């Protein structure tokens, strides 16, 4: 009995050793598939052959506002990179974008899901005006890329807006490109006045401050700033606002009216009312470069002659970078209409890929952030230039102008970058 017992025990030991060897081999294979971290640990979202990323967008909202097209732009850029062999032999595994519903709490939950459950390396693109995941991503050291429309992008080490920080603090650099591009377009700013109309939202008011300074830095005279427009919905009567504008320049109308209002309905109402009142000056805003406007005759008529100010090279441009963007989008999603949100997703992905390339094959979040925050610079005619860490605290200073004329958009001024001035 004892001999039989010993034989069984020896067999058990051999089988246990064999099983342990198999488990060790499997563990070794798994370890080989994950890129080593700085202390021998695994880099989240990274294997020898892939880098996993996902985004957060405002796909849906109560107001109807949506940035969903940014996913198409990012996917198109990633697919071109993958077709070329990826970055240092790693393909981009894009898991798509979560919807924050324009709710900060949902945005925070979406960021946590992507990092903790999906185990992404970075968030690309993030295009959500009320994004609430910034503090979590900063605490976790997770890079994120997108349109830096709010203060949550500024002062971080992990958030990389394709256009820098649009909400600089007092004393930090503030953009002058919009005013200077308009001055060049109009043959100079000397003797010309500008009136800035915003809504009563904090973001719109802040934009009114920075944009007013952009125009005065370019030499325009500030005729006035009105932030009394309700942000929730267009007013039933535009006349009080129109009367203020039409008498703002010494009793007469200003040469330029700048609208810092989020939403086509607002701008259509304001511009139509100004035109009925006989306004003949220049109308300009940041949101009217939208192909959907052309499908609505009333909107197209109200916005005729308006000069929009996108922070990327217009789709009507002949620049090779725009031809490449169009080809990438058509290959990834044939027949897709080109929109501002699509461009933002595309260029955010493009900057991420450039930063990934410059980091090198030995990839961890720590090394990636060291690259991005270590005198990083990248120029591209599609969006201008980006310079980090400087642009964590100020905008990149670049933009273009597009005019709606005869029912079609035309390039009024191609992408150009200007130096910022301290915000007063």
């Amino acid at each position: 009995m004892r001999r039989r017992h010993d034989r069984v025990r020896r067999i058990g030991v051999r089988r246990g050793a064999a099983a342990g060897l198999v488990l060790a081999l499997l563990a070794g294979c798994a370890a080989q598939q994950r890129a080593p971290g700085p202390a021998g640990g695994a880099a989240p979202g990274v294997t020898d052959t892939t880098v996993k990323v996902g985004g957060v967008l405002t796909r849906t909202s109560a107001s109807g506002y949506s940035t969903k097209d940014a996913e198409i732009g990012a996917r198109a850029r990633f697919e071109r990179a993958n077709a070329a062999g990826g970055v240092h032999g790693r393909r981009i595994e894009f898991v798509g974008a979560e919807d924050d519903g324009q709710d900060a709490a949902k945005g925070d939950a979406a960021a946590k899901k992507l990092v903790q459950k999906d185990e992404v390396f970075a968030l690309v693109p993030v295009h959500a005006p009320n994004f609430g995941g910034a503090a979590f991503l900063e605490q976790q050291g997770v890079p994120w890329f997108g349109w830096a429309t709010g203060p949550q992008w500024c002062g971080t080490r992990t958030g990389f807006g394709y256009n820098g920080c649009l909400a600089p603090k007092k004393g930090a650099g503030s953009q002058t490109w919009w005013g200077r591009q308009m001055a060049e377009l109009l043959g100079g700013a000397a003797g010309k006045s500008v009136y800035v109309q915003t809504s009563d939202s904090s973001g719109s008011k802040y934009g009114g401050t920075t944009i007013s300074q952009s125009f005065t830095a370019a030499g325009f005279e500030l005729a006035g700033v009105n932030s009394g427009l309700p942000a929730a919905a267009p007013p039933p009567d535009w006349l009080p606002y129109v009367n203020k504008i039409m008498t703002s320049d010494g009793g007469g109308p200003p040469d330029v009216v700048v609208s810092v209002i989020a939403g086509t309905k607002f701008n259509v109402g304001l511009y139509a009312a100004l035109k009925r009142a006989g306004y003949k000056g220049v109308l300009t805003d940041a949101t009217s470069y939208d192909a959907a406007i052309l499908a609505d005759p009333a909107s197209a008529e109200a916005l005729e002659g308006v000069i929009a100010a996108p922070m990327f090279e217009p789709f009507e441009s002949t620049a090779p970078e725009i031809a490449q963007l169009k080809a990438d989008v058509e290959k990834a999603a044939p027949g897709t209409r080109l929109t501002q949100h699509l461009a933002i997703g595309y260029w955010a992905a493009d900057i991420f890929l450039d930063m990934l390339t410059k980091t090198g094959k030995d990839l961890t979040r720590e090394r990636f952030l060291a690259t991005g925050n270590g005198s990083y610079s990248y120029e591209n005619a599609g969006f201008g230039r980006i310079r980090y860490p400087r642009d964590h605290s100020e905008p990149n200073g670049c933009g273009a102008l597009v005019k709606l004329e005869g029912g079609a958009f035309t390039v009024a001024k191609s992408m150009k970058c200007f130096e910022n001035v301290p915000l007063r």
Side-chain angles (χ1 to χ4, degrees), residues 163-186:
N163 51 354
C165 156
L166 292 189
K169 294 181 179 180
K170 292 288 181 69
S174 185
Q175 64 93 356
T176 65
W177 73 264
W178 195 344
R180 295 189 190 283
Q181 284 277 58
M182 287 295 297
E184 290 185 6
L185 181 67
L186 300 178

Side-chain angles (χ1 to χ4, degrees), residues 18-283:
L21 179 60
V22 170
L23 289 173
L25 289 171
L26 289 174
C29 289
Q32 288 177 359
Q33 289 298 308
R34 299 288 294 273
V46 179
T47 72
D48 287 345
T49 57
T50 61
V51 178
K52 186 188 292 187
V53 300
V56 177
L57 307 177
T58 297
R59 288 182 176 277
T60 59
S61 67
S63 65
Y65 175 78
S66 175
T67 66
K68 61 182 177 61
D69 290 353
E71 180 172 351
I72 300 173
R75 190 180 298 280
R77 184 63 186 90
F78 289 146
E79 287 188 6
R80 174 158 68 90
N82 287 341
V87 179
H88 298 299
R90 294 187 178 101
R91 294 170 54 83
I92 306 302
E93 182 185 347
F94 184 45
V95 300
E98 300 290 320
D99 181 14
D100 81 337
Q102 207 165 9
D103 180 275
K106 290 182 179 178
D108 182 48
K112 289 175 178 175
K113 173 186 177 295
L114 286 166
V115 173
Q116 296 173 340
K117 182 180 179 181
D118 298 331
E119 296 186 318
V120 300
F121 174 79
L123 268 65
V124 192
V126 175
H127 186 8
N130 295 335
F131 181 59
F136 168 75
L137 296 174
E138 183 75 358
Q139 188 270 330
Q140 295 292 315
V142 179
W144 46 300
F145 291 73
W147 194 12
T149 53
Q152 67 269 35
W153 288 87
C154 304
T156 74
R157 66 187 179 92
T158 57
F160 297 90
Y162 89 93
N163 51 354
C165 156
L166 292 189
K169 294 181 179 180
K170 292 288 181 69
S174 185
Q175 64 93 356
T176 65
W177 73 264
W178 195 344
R180 295 189 190 283
Q181 284 277 58
M182 287 295 297
E184 290 185 6
L185 181 67
L186 300 178
K192 294 184 176 68
S193 60
V194 61
Y195 185 94
V196 180
Q197 178 67 61
T198 87
S199 72
D200 61 5
S201 72
S202 58
S204 185
K205 289 178 180 178
Y206 190 92
T209 299
T210 59
I211 293 167
S212 295
Q213 183 171 310
S214 177
F215 277 81
T216 56
F220 289 90
E221 298 174 6
L222 186 62
V225 180
N226 182 357
S227 299
L229 182 67
D237 183 9
W238 282 100
L239 192 58
Y241 305 97
V242 169
N243 286 341
K244 284 185 178 182
I245 294 172
M246 294 297 287
T247 58
S248 63
D249 188 9
D255 296 290
V256 180
V257 173
V258 183
S259 172
V260 191
I261 310 170
T264 300
K265 290 182 180 179
F266 282 89
N267 288 330
V268 166
L270 175 61
Y271 299 159
L274 280 169
K275 289 178 179 180
R276 286 195 299 270
Y279 183 70
K280 302 296 183 184
V282 177
L283 300 169

Side-chain angles (χ1 to χ4, degrees), residues 257-345:
V257 173
V258 183
S259 172
V260 191
I261 310 170
T264 300
K265 290 182 180 179
F266 282 89
N267 288 330
V268 166
L270 175 61
Y271 299 159
L274 280 169
K275 289 178 179 180
R276 286 195 299 270
Y279 183 70
K280 302 296 183 184
V282 177
L283 300 169
T284 183
D285 64 61
T287 61
S288 288
Y289 183 39
D290 184 355
I293 291 170
L294 305 181
D296 178 21
S299 296
E301 181 180 358
L303 297 175
E304 176 69 17
V306 170
I307 297 173
M311 296 187 73
F312 56 87
E313 182 69 354
F315 301 121
E316 292 75 19
S317 170
T318 58
E321 292 81 358
I322 302 307
Q324 181 69 70
L325 179 153
K326 290 178 178 179
D328 292 346
V329 172
E330 182 61 24
K331 185 174 183 179
T336 295
R337 183 179 67 192
L338 301 174
T339 67
Q340 176 171 267
H341 302 308
L342 182 150
I344 290 164

